[in-house]
Amino acid sequence: MATPLLQVEHLEKSYGDVHILHDIDLTIDTGSVTVLLGPSGSGKSTLIRCLNGLEDFQSGQLVFSGQPVVPSPKVWQQLRQKIGMVFQSYDLFPNLTVLDNILLGPLKVQHRAKAEATAQAIKLLKEVGLAEYQDAYPRQLSGGQKQRIAIVRALALNPEFMLFDEVTASLDPEMVRGVLEVLRNLAQQKMTMLVVTHEMNFAREIADQVVFLENGRILEQTPGQQFFTNPQTERAQIFLNSMDF
Amino acid sequence: MSWTVIQQIIPVFVQAFWLTLKLSFYGIIGAIIVGMIASFLRYFKVPVLRQISAVYTEVSRNTPLLIQLFFIYYAFPEIGIKISASAAGISGLIFLGGSYMAEAIYGGLNGVAKIQVESGLAIGLSRGQLARYVVFPQGLTLSIPAIAANVIFLIKETSIFTVIAIPELTNTALDQIGLYYHTDESLFVLVIAYAIILIPLSIVLTWLERRTRRGAFGN
Ligand SMILES: Nc1ncnc2c1ncn2[C@@H]1O[C@H](COP(=O)(O)OP(=O)(O)O)[C@@H](O)[C@H]1O
Ligand SMILES: [Mg+2]
């Protein structure tokens, strides 16, 4: 039996007078991978940012783990420990070493013991193949390495839900695979994830559910591979045709 | 120009040299503290205090130090605030420099990339933690070149202290010229004295800029 981890109900979002997201209704089940697809400018980033409080929204409601989210800085600060996010740009803190980047959240936000948090950080670094870089500074790393560490930094808080916004979009092609591998492993470990990506083969491979967004509206929300083989709308068909894979 | 005269006037200039350094030092430290406070009020959009600090910044930047000093030294005693010439000089330097430092520091804080702030929020940092671990280390580093330029500027501004008769370098030179006609010698020693302060200082500041930039951003 699937239990919903996040429910988005009738979410409406505008920037000033410009209405960006229309009546977004979406359920994400615990342990599932949702892939969010849509043309550039359709509102994918805006939606994902609404889900961890980086953007506010005008109406609608989020329900996380059965609890309605009452938006406030305090509530979001708490929730962000459970909802990790990784952005397109590799955004490590340049003034901190790799290990300090990863430990900032566990030590300062969660007040965990240093030894325990460090052990976990090193374990996670090993899993992404970067254990030997713990004392390096971000400037010494490639884009792909930085992005894997940004993922580790988010995972170090033991989140229940991970948001990935085009995390491979600004990487050199040879770096993409390593980052996708990390996401694939997370999916296998049953991490609940919402993934925005243009890597269509990867999307098809990991999606338990596909959400297709256009002009700020959800046009399709389909389980599994169905979206790729049998899209319901013409817009989705056009979108799929435009992506060569 | 007479070498004997130079030897003769050097001791007073040495005194003036240390006084200039001392007043500059206190003035600059004070200006940086005021600048930090004013820039933080603006960066964190603290209500009311932020407007007060904006008014201060406007007044400070749009009036000459000369007038500020006259106010502090001659007008304040009228309302019962009496301070020594040195204290007036330091206060004037802080009043003037505070707004310049505020602009420099605010520019740095504001220059921290938005994505850095969002990444900090995304790992659950509070506003205060974000400031402490992300915005300040990066922003203050970005503001160091502007702070350094202000340091040099403020040291040069101490020459205006002469109008309230503080025996700093410029005042000493003018004295030597007015009283003893040691014009060439005094101007020569004066230039050397400022050079001794400013040239090594700007070398050190440039080095510091590079070092901190490297530390914070790796380039
Ligand atoms: N801060 C903003 N202010 C105003 N409009 C914005 C802002 N951010 C995004 N938009 C607009 O919202 C729409 C959706 O953008 P975005 O969510 O980034 O799309 P996507 O991630 O799907 O490419 C676009 O039309 C974009 O121009
Ligand atoms: Mg986007």
Side-chain angles (χ1 to χ4, degrees):
Chain A
M1 236 325 266
T3 49
L5 180 63
L6 176 74
Q7 290 149 282
V8 183
E9 298 168 350
H10 305 295
L11 185 146
E12 305 277 345
K13 160 80 184 166
S14 319
Y15 285 116
D17 293 340
V18 190
H19 206 147
I20 304 287
L21 296 176
H22 305 262
D23 196 22
I24 301 293
D25 257 312
L26 176 64
T27 299
I28 292 173
D29 288 331
T30 304
S32 74
V33 177
T34 301
V35 172
L36 179 57
L37 298 176
S40 172
S42 57
K44 304 181 297 294
S45 297
T46 306
L47 174 56
I48 223 173
R49 290 162 58 83
C50 285
L51 304 186
N52 80 339
L54 289 178
E55 297 289 346
D56 55 5
F57 45 90
Q58 279 67 40
S59 67
Q61 141 154 300
L62 302 177
V63 180
F64 187 79
S65 283
Q67 301 284 327
V69 177
V70 185
S72 78
K74 265 239 110 51
V75 165
W76 276 122
Q77 200 210 324
Q78 290 298 318
L79 265 179
R80 286 184 188 122
Q81 297 170 46
K82 299 184 182 165
I83 305 177
M85 170 150 183
V86 184
F87 303 81
Q88 176 173 342
S89 51
Y90 0 104
D91 46 37
L92 298 177
F93 305 123
N95 51 315
L96 300 177
T97 62
V98 164
L99 192 59
D100 288 341
N101 262 278
I102 299 168
L103 289 178
L104 194 55
L107 297 185
K108 304 300 173 188
V109 178
Q110 298 182 319
H111 306 290
R112 282 156 55 191
K114 185 155 189 193
E116 174 267 325
T118 308
Q120 187 202 12
I122 289 169
K123 177 171 159 282
L124 288 168
L125 275 175
K126 274 195 188 122
E127 285 173 18
V128 301
L130 293 171
E132 68 270 40
Y133 291 97
Q134 57 166 292
D135 296 320
Y137 279 89
R139 63 171 180 271
Q140 298 164 308
L141 306 173
S142 72
Q145 291 170 329
K146 280 189 255 195
Q147 198 58 296
R148 279 181 274 162
I149 287 161
I151 296 171
V152 167
R153 183 175 64 181
L155 293 176
L157 293 162
N158 297 317
E160 296 168 27
F161 183 33
M162 285 290 298
L163 307 168
F164 294 96
D165 190 1
E166 303 204 37
V167 291
T168 58
S170 10
L171 295 180
D172 294 335
E174 68 272 20
M175 302 287 178
V176 170
R177 186 202 298 233
V179 174
L180 294 184
E181 191 56 39
V182 174
L183 266 60
R184 197 175 279 125
N185 286 338
L186 275 177
Q188 265 157 22
Q189 293 162 27
K190 289 287 162 216
M191 171 64 81
T192 314
M193 323 202 276
L194 178 60
V195 183
V196 176
T197 182
H198 285 122
E199 300 288 333
M200 298 305 271
N201 288 317
F202 175 73
R204 173 145 65 177
E205 174 197 327
I206 65 161
D208 296 312
Q209 164 177 241
V210 174
V211 174
F212 177 65
L213 199 65
E214 198 180 70
N215 288 326
R217 288 176 208 277
I218 293 182
L219 296 193
E220 294 200 29
Q221 182 172 355
T222 45
Q225 327 282 289
Q226 199 181 310
F227 177 81
F228 297 94
T229 49
N230 188 19
Q232 301 301 299
T233 59
E234 196 188 339
R235 303 303 309 164
Q237 187 61 61
I238 294 172
F239 172 77
L240 284 171
N241 291 341
S242 74
M243 313 292 294
D244 62 317
F245 64 100
Chain B
M1 195 153 64
S2 143
W3 186 244
T4 344
V5 172
I6 290 180
Q7 280 182 314
Q8 193 190 316
I9 62 177
I10 274 188
V12 280
F13 271 97
V14 168
Q15 264 187 339
F17 177 89
W18 290 119
L19 183 62
T20 299
L21 270 188
K22 192 176 101 184
L23 299 180
S24 302
F25 178 79
Y26 289 127
I28 287 165
I29 296 295
I32 289 176
I33 293 171
V34 169
M36 283 200 174
I37 294 170
S39 60
F40 293 174
L41 293 176
R42 185 169 164 204
Y43 185 81
F44 293 107
K45 302 191 172 72
V46 181
V48 188
L49 291 178
R50 158 178 165 230
Q51 277 84 6
I52 293 173
S53 122
V55 171
Y56 152 70
T57 307
E58 285 304 306
V59 174
S60 156
R61 288 184 70 102
N62 294 307
T63 52
L65 178 58
L66 182 73
I67 309 298
Q68 297 171 3
L69 285 177
F70 276 156
F71 244 91
I72 296 170
Y73 195 55
Y74 296 116
F76 278 13
E78 303 286 323
I79 54 165
I81 305 170
K82 235 191 166 89
I83 52 176
S84 70
S86 288
I90 292 172
S91 310
L93 211 54
I94 293 175
F95 185 82
L96 174 77
S99 66
Y100 280 83
M101 292 298 185
E103 289 293 315
I105 295 166
Y106 180 78
L109 298 180
N110 214 29
V112 175
K114 186 165 167 256
I115 187 73
Q116 287 286 315
V117 172
E118 292 185 341
S119 306
L121 291 175
I123 55 167
L125 296 180
S126 65
R127 283 273 160 198
Q129 291 173 325
L130 189 67
R132 178 163 166 204
Y133 299 111
V134 180
V135 177
F136 290 174
Q138 294 182 35
L140 295 179
T141 305
L142 289 174
S143 62
I144 283 180
I147 291 177
N150 288 340
V151 165
I152 303 280
F153 160 72
L154 290 174
I155 293 175
K156 291 194 279 196
E157 285 293 290
T158 59
S159 59
I160 294 176
F161 291 176
T162 188
V163 301
I164 52 170
I166 295 176
E168 45 67 57
L169 284 167
T170 302
N171 182 270
T172 302
L174 294 178
D175 247 18
Q176 290 294 318
I177 296 166
L179 296 175
Y180 311 108
Y181 304 104
H182 294 149
T183 309
D184 294 350
E185 293 83 357
S186 298
L187 291 179
F188 176 72
V189 177
L190 181 65
V191 168
I192 299 286
Y194 278 124
I196 290 175
I197 299 176
L198 294 173
I199 293 174
L201 185 65
S202 54
I203 292 171
V204 169
L205 290 174
T206 309
W207 172 82
L208 187 75
E209 273 166 38
R210 263 201 230 117
R211 232 194 97 96
T212 48
R213 240 203 112 67
R214 230 192 119 60
F217 299 103
N219 53 32

